[in-house]
Amino acid sequence: DTEVTQTPKHLVMGMTNKKSLKCEQHMGHRAMYWYKQKAKKPPELMFVYSYEKLSINESVPSRFSPECPNSSLLNLHLHALQPEDSALYLCASSRDSSGGANEQFFGPGTRLTVL
Amino acid sequence: AQSVAQPEDQVNVAEGNPLTVKCTYSVSGNPYLFWYVQYPNRGLQFLLKYITGDNLVKGSYGFEAEFNKSQTSFHLKKPSALVSDSALYFCAVRDSGNTPLVFGKGTRLSVIA
């Protein structure tokens, strides 16, 4: 299985809602990533988990809360988001985060709209 | 600090013609270079990477890229473009340490029938 899956595909939420994005991989990868991508822009790194521990937080606002329950799963909990948080949220995984040569495998993304 | 430049926002090419999407990079150490493609409303798909060794790297779907250390470039090429190659292409770099992957701004490739 060489796939990264993400659910849901689309999500519409109000600014007071709480929701979660889910990501799963079964490639035995030990690094997992969350990216935010605005239209026609490159992905922006948000968080990196290495061996289920948070290793990088790119100064992301606390209304985004990542969680890595086990080596195959990655969640992103959302609370009190702003309309400017509307974007495509991409999950990725790689063999590990320390080897520079390891390519990342991306999921299809969750299209988030905040009203 | 690492950086990547994709100097062209848009590249147009006729179907059957060769295509080139340009990328230059800057890293302090040895670079690891990647190309990804993104189709509309999809995630990024890995095409190819350069780690070390042969300067010409072959990847998926007939794409290849040439690493040029003196020009700090890693241009993506394909001998004969297909309409289905039309997509957004990202070049990315990281150095040999534990640093995040840095993406270029992307180049939109349009192959015209």
Side-chain angles (χ1 to χ4, degrees):
Chain A
D1 187 354
T2 59
E3 197 178 15
V4 176
T5 59
Q6 290 187 243
T7 55
K9 286 187 176 12
H10 301 276
L11 180 61
V12 179
M13 59 186 292
M15 289 190 284
T16 58
N17 292 157
K18 286 185 182 180
K19 297 286 185 182
S20 296
L21 309 185
K22 296 186 185 302
C23 174
E24 190 167 4
Q25 57 87 15
H26 294 287
M27 293 179 278
H29 289 171
R30 303 312 300 268
M32 296 185 78
Y33 310 78
W34 280 116
Y35 288 88
K36 173 183 177 181
Q37 187 182 27
K38 291 281 202 178
K40 301 181 182 179
K41 298 289 187 184
E44 299 170 30
L45 183 65
M46 300 174 72
F47 302 104
V48 180
Y49 272 84
S50 179
Y51 292 85
E52 298 145 59
K53 294 191 187 310
L54 183 64
S55 62
I56 295 178
N57 176 342
E58 293 284 354
S59 303
V60 179
S62 60
R63 58 185 183 269
F64 295 91
S65 175
E67 178 197 21
C68 189
N70 60 55
S71 61
S72 299
L73 292 173
L74 186 66
N75 297 323
L76 186 63
H77 303 297
L78 314 173
H79 174 55
L81 294 194
Q82 304 297 309
E84 60 264 28
D85 296 321
S86 299
L88 182 68
Y89 287 83
L90 294 166
C91 174
S93 70
S94 65
R95 190 171 299 172
D96 62 51
S97 64
S98 61
N102 295 322
E103 62 270 30
Q104 294 179 19
F105 292 81
F106 284 80
T110 293
R111 174 75 59 192
L112 174 67
T113 303
V114 182
L115 301 176
Chain B
Q2 311 163 117
S3 66
V4 177
Q6 293 182 244
E8 302 152 318
D9 289 334
Q10 173 96 27
V11 170
N12 297 320
V13 64
E15 187 175 32
N17 282 3
L19 70 87
T20 299
V21 182
K22 295 179 181 176
C23 171
T24 58
Y25 67 89
S26 174
V27 296
S28 55
N30 292 322
Y32 296 123
L33 293 153
F34 304 84
W35 276 102
Y36 287 87
V37 61
Q38 187 174 31
Y39 296 96
N41 298 312
R42 302 292 298 276
L44 276 68
Q45 283 179 241
F46 169 72
L47 281 177
L48 50 80
K49 67 181 179 182
Y50 172 81
I51 305 170
T52 186
D54 195 348
N55 289 343
L56 185 63
V57 179
K58 293 190 183 298
S60 306
Y61 313 119
F63 284 94
E64 57 190 28
E66 186 167 11
F67 172 67
N68 187 317
K69 187 173 183 178
S70 63
Q71 296 185 6
T72 62
S73 67
F74 189 56
H75 301 331
L76 182 70
K77 302 184 180 193
K78 188 173 182 182
S80 178
L82 300 172
V83 172
S84 57
D85 293 330
S86 299
L88 186 57
Y89 289 79
F90 290 103
C91 182
V93 68
R94 66 184 301 190
D95 65 23
S96 52
N98 187 17
T99 55
L101 192 60
V102 174
F103 288 90
K105 65 178 182 178
T107 297
R108 183 160 301 281
L109 174 68
S110 181
V111 181
I112 304 155

